[in-house]
Amino acid sequence: MVGSKRVLVIDRDPATLDLVQRYLSARGYEVHTAESGETGQAAFARYQPDLVILDARMPDAEGRSLCLWLRERSSVPILVVATQEGVPGPIEMLTLGADQYMTKPVALMELEARAGALLRRAAISAEAQPLSSMFSSARPDYDDGHLVIDLDRRLVTLEGRPVMLTATEFKVLACLVKRAGSVVPHQELLSQVRGEEYVDDVAFLKTYIHHLRRKLTSSLGDNGAYSYILNKWGVGYRLRAEHERREVMADNGQGQHEYTLSTAP
């Protein structure tokens, strides 16, 4: 029996979700389902599954980006299922981090066999990890009660919902997290993200900061919005320190003033 194994099935077809859930549940798996990329990301963050069965074509997210999002955050086995005429194909999905690829219609017995093989392989790999890895700190790199950033696991959540970042956006954010509360100069950010030869490409940096601000802005209720990334005009950018949100809530006037000035383009 494999009752302790959690499987997340992300598929756009409700009938497929129901069929796979009933079949695998009857065989002892704990099965969770999601019908979109967004709900799939949220379910992944919530349940931390041992295996993901992923439809290659979702209504709100490309299979490519969803597969990459999963792989960047976890070593969880990913079994991709796609229509025979579907795109992306097996080579592309396997390159992006999928472990196996099947085409629809899927035989449920084969699906279970492949799932079991992936789980056994993952279990063997976990047992082979050095003992020292079991004692690493579980505390994320940033956690103010609203925004949580775990650099090692490449996980970012805001108000409990996963934030999907591109590889470059994550690199920029990682640089800011390591110096949270302090201004990181443009040249330093560009050097770490792109290389020494691009230290003057501030326009490139502004583009990614814009995307990060849009994704990392949350509500202060009746007091407006809270942007985590602030600008030091002509110098660089900084990620607010973990304690700053509490201070803004305690002194709304001062917080709103800083927000207005420091997030100017």
Side-chain angles (χ1 to χ4, degrees), residues 56-122:
R57 304 182 74 179
M58 300 300 296
D60 63 341
E62 286 190 350
R64 303 176 184 87
S65 59
L66 195 52
C67 183
L68 183 60
W69 186 90
L70 290 166
R71 182 52 68 232
E72 286 181 338
R73 288 155 177 78
S74 173
S75 59
V76 61
I78 302 172
L79 172 55
V80 169
V81 179
T83 55
Q84 290 183 338
E85 71 278 6
V87 175
I91 294 177
E92 184 172 6
M93 295 304 293
L94 292 170
T95 300
L96 289 172
D99 296 278
Q100 289 198 25
Y101 186 101
M102 300 179 67
T103 55
K104 295 181 179 180
V106 173
L108 291 175
M109 289 182 63
E110 181 182 357
L111 181 70
E112 182 192 5
R114 288 177 179 264
L118 288 173
L119 288 167
R120 287 192 298 273
R121 187 183 308 164

Side-chain angles (χ1 to χ4, degrees), residues 152-168:
D152 287 338
R153 298 171 63 201
R154 301 183 70 87
L155 284 172
V156 180
T157 62
L158 181 59
E159 310 296 357
R161 298 174 63 85
V163 179
M164 190 170 183
L165 301 178
T166 67
T168 300

